[in-house]
């Protein structure tokens, strides 16, 4: 053992683990998008920009890792953490980002083990839209349908029911599934299979 102190890692910048295996990541642009366009609306954070913390930037650095051709490095990513740590908020911001920034015609599905939880995910995205004139000018929110569509018709976020019989044929470009720890019944497992 050395009597010298271990160097303290720099806490100001996220550890970019994705650099070990992927040629690029969209995390930096996503972090900028969150802080610029996503204003929070819950509790102590009401009215504050969604400034991602270091651990969130680390996570999204890997989530948004890409291959040389720009295609996603990962097909499935799971975040396991205690309740009330902003999972729903982060997922809704990611959905809006991908709706507005992805090429082609992105189809983003918001799913959860219950329709009520899927509505929370949708409502979090809708709240970001209400608080951002820039995003609001680019999309139309249809609460009664559970849809957020781009005004140019080239993309949609859709809240989906957890009934597997209604999930086939969606052809999503991204599925954001909340509270997956509760996808435990045979019916919900069939829904997961239909979505993925």
């Amino acid at each position: 053992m050395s009597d010298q102190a271990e160097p303290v890692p720099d806490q100001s910048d996220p550890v970019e683990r994705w650099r070990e295996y992927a040629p690029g990541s969209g995390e930096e642009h996503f972090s900028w998008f969150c802080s610029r366009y996503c204003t929070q609306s819950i509790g102590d954070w009401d009215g504050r920009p969604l400034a991602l913390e270091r651990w969130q930037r680390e996570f999204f650095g890997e989530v948004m890792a890409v291959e040389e051709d720009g295609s996603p490095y990962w097909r499935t990513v799971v975040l396991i953490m205690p309740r009330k740590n902003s999972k729903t908020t982060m997922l809704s911001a990611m959905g809006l980002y991908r709706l507005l920034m992805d090429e082609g015609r992105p189809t983003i599905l918001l799913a959860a083990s219950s329709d009520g939880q899927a509505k929370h995910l949708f409502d979090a995205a809708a709240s970001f839209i209400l608080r951002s004139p820039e995003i609001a000018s680019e999309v139309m929110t249809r609460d009664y349908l559970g849809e957020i569509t781009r005004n140019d018709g080239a993309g949609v976020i859709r809240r989906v029911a957890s009934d597997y019989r209604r999930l086939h044929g969606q052809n999503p470009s991204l599925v954001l599934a909340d509270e997956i720890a509760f996808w435990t019944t045979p019916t919900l497992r069939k829904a997961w299979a239909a979505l993925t």
Side-chain angles (χ1 to χ4, degrees), residues 90 114 136:
M90 292 184 330
S114 70

Side-chain angles (χ1 to χ4, degrees), residues 21-42:
Y21 57 83
S25 174
E27 176 276 322
E28 189 174 329
H29 192 257
F30 175 62
S31 293
W32 169 83
F33 174 88
C34 288
S35 64
R36 172 67 180 88
Y37 296 111
C38 297
T39 301
Q40 300 181 79
S41 60
I42 297 174

Side-chain angles (χ1 to χ4, degrees), residues 138-153:
E138 299 290 326
V139 300
M140 173 161 306
T141 304
R142 295 181 178 96
D143 289 323
Y144 63 97
L145 292 176
E147 283 188 353
I148 299 167
T149 56
R150 281 180 27 179
N151 289 338
D152 63 6

Side-chain angles (χ1 to χ4, degrees), residues 149 180 189:
T149 56
I180 61 170
R189 288 182 180 170

Side-chain angles (χ1 to χ4, degrees), residues 55-56 60 79-93 117 121 178-180:
W55 70 269
Q56 293 168 314
F60 281 110
L79 175 63
I80 300 170
M81 58 189 284
R83 297 175 64 114
K84 301 299 179 192
N85 274 293
S86 77
K87 292 183 301 292
T88 301
T89 300
M90 292 184 330
L91 287 174
S92 62
Q117 186 61 36
L121 193 53
D178 202 3
E179 302 280 349
I180 61 170

Side-chain angles (χ1 to χ4, degrees), residues 2 89 104 159:
S2 170
T89 300
R159 185 183 74 228

Side-chain angles (χ1 to χ4, degrees), residues 15-19 21-34 50 52 55-78 90-103 108 174 176:
V15 175
E16 296 179 330
R17 291 189 176 107
W18 60 267
R19 289 190 187 277
Y21 57 83
S25 174
E27 176 276 322
E28 189 174 329
H29 192 257
F30 175 62
S31 293
W32 169 83
F33 174 88
C34 288
L50 181 60
L52 299 181
W55 70 269
Q56 293 168 314
R57 293 193 68 186
E58 287 180 28
F59 174 70
F60 281 110
E62 295 200 66
V63 168
M64 302 181 83
V66 294
E67 299 279 7
E68 287 286 343
D69 64 0
S71 63
Y73 189 90
W74 301 107
R75 179 183 161 113
T76 303
V77 178
V78 177
M90 292 184 330
L91 287 174
S92 62
M94 176 69 140
L96 284 173
Y97 177 81
R98 298 294 297 270
L99 175 67
L100 295 169
M101 300 298 170
D102 281 5
E103 294 180 6
I108 298 144
L174 177 66
L176 298 171

